[in-house]
Amino acid sequence: MFSLLQRFLRNALKHPKIVLGIALAVTLLSIYPVRNLKWELRMIDMLPDSSEVKKTNAIVEENFGGFGSLVAVITSKDSALNSRLVQGLAKELEGNRYINFVEYKSEMDFFEKHKLLYVNTEDLRKIRDRISDLQSRYKFENSPFYIDLLSNDSLQKVVRDSLTREITDSLSLAELEDKYFSKLRNMYSNEKGTVRIVSVFPKARVSDLSASRKLTRIVSGAFESLPESEKAELYMTGKVFQTASEGWRILPEARFTGIALAVILALFFLFRFAKQPAVFILSIIPIALVFLWTLAAAWLFFGRINLYSIVLAVILPGISCRQIVHLMTRFADEQRNGLGYELSLESALLGVGPTIAISTFSFAAAFLGLLFVPLAGMQELGVLGAIGSILNWTLASLVFPALIELTKKYRSFLVFGKIKGHVENFKERPFVGFKKAFIPVLLLCMILPSRGIYPKFDYDFSHSDYHPNTAKADSLLRETNYLNYDPIVVILPNSKTARSFYNRINRERESNPNSGIRAVAIYQNLLPSNQQEKLSLLTEIKNELDPSVLRALSPTDSARIEKIVKDWKAAPVLSKDLPMNLRKLFGANAGGSTEYAFIFPNFNSNDGLACRRLAKELEPFHYPMTGTALVRASVLNMTLPHFHKAILFGIVCVFLLTFLFYKRFYFSLFTLVSPIIAFFWLLGLLRFLDIPLTAYSCLAFPILIGMSLDGAIQLWNAYYERSTGSIYHILRTTGVTCFFAELLTIVVLFGLSLSSHPGIHAIGMISIFGVVCLLLSHNFVFPLLAGALDRRRIRRRKHR
């Protein structure tokens, strides 16, 4: 297999112009795909298209832009100014093609008009009974045959006034107004009016990065265009703003990180190829092409980059640097040994080409293992990672040598040609100090796993998801009664099913003390319950309050009750009477008889374990559902039970590749010992430092499995090539190159660790720890094993 690959490379490099021509054509063809690539960075985008949660979310977003909005908070000390700004902003946004509807005032008039129908039926019965009691007492006291010998007039007046006051307070619904209507009044404003809220619902999907950024700019621009906007401050929050902020933060951050890493890698390359800086210029081309071609492949296969696959923008160029370092170092060594240019290049490709191929294929296999995880985001990362690995190998083994081959006519690339005496020629010299490496290996194996090696898992999504800085907006929202909740949305076929669903889920919620459901709301909850009975009670109350009873009351109480009776609207509330905003919220936009139900969890949706429990609790209800809690539960359910398959697949493939390369079991075993011990140290280190894994950071392990073979196979291949007594020489040549390559990898991964996204940051940190463990393992475990093998071989020679 590997001889076939080498033959292909040698034949292809006989025609460097054709190789570079094809590379140029592919690069030009990649421009259009890269420019049209979508960046989908929300968690729901990670779910496969077959996910019921994602399908339901698509339906909801088609009708409403998703149950999420852009919340604009306007604040100043002048309440009148705030009112004018809110009215002006709503008018500016009216009819905008990107906006579904705008909410900035509560439906207070509607509920004031029909408030008696929203009173509890039992309370109305009490009011009726009290009025009947008052009327009976009044008629009895006015009877000519009634004489009360036990009480005086003042006591009768106190009793009558007390009963009258109860009736007056009941009819004015003071308690209901204090507890409910006061909250309704302050839903979009605080009591003083110094904080006002405008909620903008989009027509596009909330998770659409481009649309969310555009809507945020539209609202911000509309506010700034208002005449008095400079006298107030505008703050934004909500799901739309979160999506826009994530794109504004992560994408520029990724660009800045890429530029910074390019500069740092340039300095490292200039240091490594100090005498021939032209080599560095040529090395930039394949590194850049890896990134460009992988993005084009992402558009071709998926049309997008997701939050997982974005890490390849840093990982793949770093792996490309490792391969080029190995190739050019071997090329330099051969030139120093007196070989001509063509022979040096051919020897480099034949010498380290197979090990680079093995490292490449192990990296690709580790990524392909992610196909066992049914999460679409991880599967896309697996496919693109494998493609990027193969592209890395192709560009390092074909395009880079072709560039050198073509430009040698203009400049001879005698890399390190003037550096002599720094590296000794190989002389057989048994490695007698190998036993010293046993001490650090033993100490690390004892100290790091002292707290265990089984990693913990952090289910708190607040530690792994991106959260924009909306502290000021959120603090202002808390001054109001704005309903800033994140419910689970259920799509139901009709009102009859909605009522049945409501009754069933409430019964099960009440019977389950550990239920994760706090409340359920359906469209029919908006209409007053038991309307006919309430209307009948209200009619009785109105008939009981005849003029003779009212005249018997004090003038103040009589006037209050007369006003209440006059304002009564004893007519049933129909669906068409409800405010349009409420009707839209529960399905008026969906068309047909479709209705929405809302399930409100009794926990914070950042709690991943609670999300999984709620998803399991809702499994018996076979209706389309979506919501943040269910999205997070789906991500965990599609990751945790399957991720070990990806790890096992990567390990098996790495072993098979090394066995296929060496064709000897113990050669493969020796090569894999140092990576295995490195992973043992890494797991212990994570527990020792109390660093848990998350739904993001677990991706570090496939990346590390792919990286783990590079250093080990380079060292052992050099040892098998040089044989007994070569350890000193290998450590001073190949060992230095491997150290430099690992150092470049740490530099690249450091770019991930600087990300403001907690999940990407965690991937970078765990990957850095892993590479450090690999570096230590190569430096200590390889000389220990190779030294023991040397000693055994020398003893055998002596016995012979």
Side-chain angles (χ1 to χ4, degrees):
M1 172 183 174
F2 297 104
S3 60
L4 178 64
L5 290 175
Q6 296 307 313
R7 195 180 305 127
F8 167 75
L9 291 177
R10 281 192 296 174
N11 292 331
L13 287 175
K14 291 178 182 178
H15 310 283
K17 291 184 178 180
I18 295 177
V19 171
L20 295 178
I22 294 173
L24 179 61
V26 174
T27 303
L28 294 175
L29 291 174
S30 299
I31 295 175
Y32 175 81
V34 172
R35 293 185 63 181
N36 290 275
L37 195 64
K38 292 182 180 179
W39 299 81
E40 297 184 346
L41 306 178
R42 298 300 302 275
M43 182 167 288
I44 195 169
D45 298 321
M46 305 300 103
L47 298 178
D49 292 336
S50 59
S51 168
E52 291 299 326
V53 173
K54 190 172 184 178
K55 288 180 181 178
T56 306
N57 189 77
I59 297 172
V60 171
E61 289 187 333
E62 183 180 350
N63 292 312
F64 297 94
F67 282 98
S69 63
L70 176 63
V71 181
V73 184
I74 299 172
T75 179
S76 75
K77 295 182 180 180
D78 188 346
S79 59
L81 170 65
N82 294 339
S83 180
R84 291 194 298 273
L85 289 174
V86 167
Q87 296 285 346
L89 181 60
K91 187 175 181 180
E92 285 287 328
L93 299 177
E94 185 179 355
N96 190 291
R97 62 192 180 95
Y98 296 103
I99 296 173
N100 195 355
F101 56 93
V102 177
E103 289 185 348
Y104 61 95
K105 59 183 180 181
S106 62
E107 305 298 340
M108 193 64 200
D109 294 340
F110 171 80
F111 287 105
E112 283 281 7
K113 180 180 178 181
H114 301 283
K115 63 183 179 181
L116 289 175
L117 287 176
Y118 285 93
V119 178
N120 187 283
T121 308
E122 187 60 31
D123 290 339
L124 281 179
R125 291 197 188 99
K126 290 179 181 178
I127 294 172
R128 182 199 59 186
D129 294 341
R130 287 171 183 169
I131 292 176
S132 297
D133 187 30
L134 177 64
Q135 189 178 52
S136 298
R137 183 182 292 272
Y138 169 75
K139 290 180 179 179
F140 191 63
E141 288 177 354
N142 284 276
S143 172
F145 302 102
Y146 171 75
I147 301 175
D148 189 351
L149 301 176
L150 300 178
S151 61
N152 54 35
D153 291 341
S154 61
L155 182 60
Q156 289 183 33
K157 185 177 185 303
V158 169
V159 173
R160 185 168 60 249
D161 288 349
S162 174
L163 187 59
T164 304
R165 181 63 56 195
E166 285 185 21
I167 296 170
T168 305
D169 290 342
S170 299
L171 288 174
S172 65
L173 305 176
E175 184 178 355
L176 181 66
E177 290 178 350
D178 289 340
K179 289 185 177 181
Y180 180 70
F181 288 142
S182 62
K183 293 182 180 180
L184 199 62
R185 289 190 191 98
N186 297 329
M187 184 178 294
Y188 293 93
S189 171
N190 62 357
E191 290 186 6
K192 296 180 181 179
T194 56
V195 177
R196 295 294 299 270
I197 298 170
V198 178
S199 190
V200 183
F201 289 82
K203 283 188 177 179
R205 297 182 300 118
V206 171
S207 56
D208 188 328
L209 174 60
S210 177
S212 295
R213 293 168 70 173
K214 184 174 292 185
L215 181 61
T216 304
R217 292 193 188 99
I218 288 172
V219 174
S220 177
F223 177 78
E224 291 174 0
S225 68
L226 298 176
E228 300 176 288
S229 60
E230 69 280 356
K231 298 178 182 178
E233 293 180 281
L234 174 70
Y235 298 95
M236 294 190 187
T237 185
K239 286 189 175 182
V240 172
F241 183 73
Q242 181 178 352
T243 302
S245 299
E246 197 165 9
W248 277 325
R249 185 63 180 270
I250 293 177
L251 294 183
E253 192 176 75
R255 285 193 290 268
F256 174 78
T257 302
I259 294 171
L261 288 178
V263 173
I264 295 172
L265 291 176
L267 295 175
F268 272 86
F269 265 84
L270 285 174
F271 171 78
R272 183 65 175 167
F273 304 120
K275 297 297 181 179
Q276 290 293 338
V279 174
F280 157 69
I281 297 173
L282 295 182
S283 68
I284 292 176
I285 297 175
I287 294 172
L289 291 183
V290 167
F291 177 65
L292 184 68
W293 290 10
T294 304
L295 289 182
W299 178 85
L300 182 64
F301 289 101
F302 309 110
R304 67 172 188 170
I305 286 289
N306 64 58
L307 193 55
Y308 287 152
S309 56
I310 196 173
V311 301
L312 293 175
V314 173
I315 299 287
L316 293 178
I319 301 302
S320 181
C321 290
R322 291 162 63 115
Q323 296 179 355
I324 289 174
V325 165
H326 287 305
L327 185 64
M328 290 310 303
T329 302
R330 181 61 176 262
F331 176 64
D333 288 341
E334 298 298 347
Q335 282 197 310
R336 258 197 319 273
N337 291 332
L339 293 181
Y341 176 83
E342 287 80 5
L343 288 177
S344 296
L345 186 58
E346 184 175 348
S347 178
L349 292 173
L350 292 175
V352 297
T355 54
I356 290 176
I358 287 292
S359 178
T360 296
F361 294 144
S362 66
F363 201 80
F367 272 110
L368 286 177
L370 292 175
L371 294 177
F372 288 100
V373 182
L375 194 65
M378 284 195 182
Q379 290 182 342
E380 291 176 19
L381 171 63
V383 172
L384 292 178
I387 292 173
S389 300
I390 302 301
L391 290 177
N392 253 331
W393 174 77
T394 305
L395 291 166
S397 303
L398 276 177
V399 175
F400 186 51
L403 285 170
I404 296 177
E405 180 76 25
L406 194 64
T407 54
K408 72 172 184 178
K409 299 176 182 178
Y410 309 101
R411 185 180 182 91
S412 180
F413 291 97
L414 297 175
V415 183
F416 293 157
K418 299 180 181 180
I419 302 178
K420 294 187 178 180
H422 289 187
V423 180
E424 298 176 0
N425 290 331
F426 167 61
K427 294 179 182 179
E428 184 175 307
R429 182 182 176 188
F431 188 56
V432 295
F434 71 94
K435 291 182 180 180
K436 296 179 182 179
F438 181 72
I439 297 174
V441 171
L442 181 63
L443 288 176
L444 289 171
C445 287
M446 292 176 61
I447 295 172
L448 292 181
S450 60
R451 298 181 63 180
I453 62 171
Y454 191 79
K456 295 180 180 179
F457 195 89
D458 187 359
Y459 290 93
D460 191 344
F461 278 87
S462 65
H463 298 159
S464 58
D465 270 358
Y466 175 77
H467 299 281
N469 184 13
T470 57
K472 181 63 177 179
D474 293 338
S475 66
L476 293 173
L477 279 183
R478 285 192 287 271
E479 295 184 27
T480 71
N481 292 312
Y482 183 74
L483 298 177
N484 192 18
Y485 52 78
D486 195 2
I488 291 179
V489 185
V490 187
I491 300 180
L492 301 164
N494 50 56
S495 59
K496 182 179 179 181
T497 307
R499 174 58 64 181
S500 174
F501 171 80
Y502 176 80
N503 292 334
R504 180 186 169 192
I505 202 168
N506 269 324
R507 284 195 304 268
E508 298 198 11
R509 177 178 64 86
E510 293 169 0
S511 63
N512 181 9
N514 298 319
S515 175
I517 300 173
R518 176 173 58 86
V520 185
I522 60 174
Y523 181 60
Q524 295 162 50
N525 294 149
L526 297 178
L527 296 172
S529 60
N530 305 321
Q531 288 197 69
Q532 293 303 321
E533 183 179 358
K534 288 179 180 179
L535 288 171
S536 177
L537 289 171
L538 289 172
T539 302
E540 290 182 35
I541 291 170
K542 191 172 184 178
N543 292 336
E544 292 282 353
L545 291 172
D546 55 40
S548 60
V549 175
L550 293 176
R551 282 196 297 271
L553 302 177
S554 65
T556 304
D557 290 341
S558 177
R560 289 179 64 188
I561 293 178
E562 195 167 2
K563 183 177 184 303
I564 293 170
V565 173
K566 182 180 179 182
D567 291 339
W568 277 359
K569 303 294 182 184
V573 176
L574 304 177
S575 297
K576 64 180 181 179
D577 300 324
L578 291 171
M580 179 53 71
N581 284 352
L582 294 178
R583 290 160 59 190
K584 285 181 178 178
L585 193 64
F586 282 85
N589 270 20
S593 58
T594 302
E595 287 195 13
Y596 289 100
F598 299 91
I599 299 174
F600 299 91
N602 59 11
F603 57 86
N604 191 309
S605 59
N606 284 326
D607 186 344
L609 274 177
C611 291
R612 294 184 77 184
R613 286 194 293 266
L614 179 60
K616 191 170 184 179
E617 184 180 351
L618 294 174
E619 279 181 1
F621 300 93
H622 302 291
Y623 299 108
M625 301 184 189
T626 190
T628 300
L630 294 186
V631 170
R632 289 173 172 172
S634 297
V635 168
L636 292 175
N637 291 336
M638 291 181 181
T639 304
L640 298 183
H642 306 280
F643 199 77
H644 68 281
K645 302 175 187 176
I647 302 296
L648 292 175
F649 180 81
I651 294 172
V652 170
C653 286
V654 167
F655 176 78
L656 290 177
L657 284 169
T658 54
F659 182 75
L660 185 64
F661 179 67
Y662 292 120
K663 296 182 176 62
R664 293 186 182 181
F665 177 78
Y666 74 91
F667 276 19
S668 300
L669 187 61
F670 278 136
T671 304
L672 295 178
V673 167
S674 57
I676 291 172
I677 292 178
F679 276 99
F680 179 73
W681 290 346
L682 174 61
L683 293 174
L685 181 64
L686 295 180
R687 284 301 302 269
F688 189 82
L689 298 178
D690 200 23
I691 300 175
L693 298 180
T694 67
Y696 292 93
S697 62
C698 58
L699 286 172
F701 285 91
I703 294 172
L704 289 172
I705 289 174
M707 292 179 178
S708 64
L709 198 58
D710 184 70
I713 201 168
Q714 293 291 347
L715 289 169
W716 281 102
N717 185 62
Y719 176 75
Y720 294 141
E721 184 181 355
R722 300 285 187 177
S723 191
T724 305
S726 62
I727 300 176
Y728 276 116
H729 180 74
I730 291 169
L731 289 177
R732 298 186 66 181
T733 54
T734 307
V736 172
T737 303
C738 290
F739 177 83
F740 184 76
E742 300 289 358
L743 191 60
L744 283 179
T745 305
I746 292 174
V747 170
V748 169
L749 294 174
F750 189 68
L752 289 180
S753 68
L754 294 177
S755 175
S756 61
H757 191 287
I760 297 176
H761 168 79
I763 294 174
M765 289 304 299
I766 293 179
S767 298
I768 288 175
F769 289 143
V771 175
V772 170
C773 290
L774 287 169
L775 187 59
L776 293 175
S777 180
H778 296 332
N779 284 318
F780 291 130
V781 177
F782 166 72
L784 178 63
L785 292 177
L789 190 60
D790 254 10
R791 185 177 181 181
R792 181 171 177 270
R793 287 176 173 178
I794 292 172
R795 283 181 177 178
R796 281 188 173 182
R797 289 178 184 177
K798 289 180 180 180
H799 286 306
R800 291 174 185 174

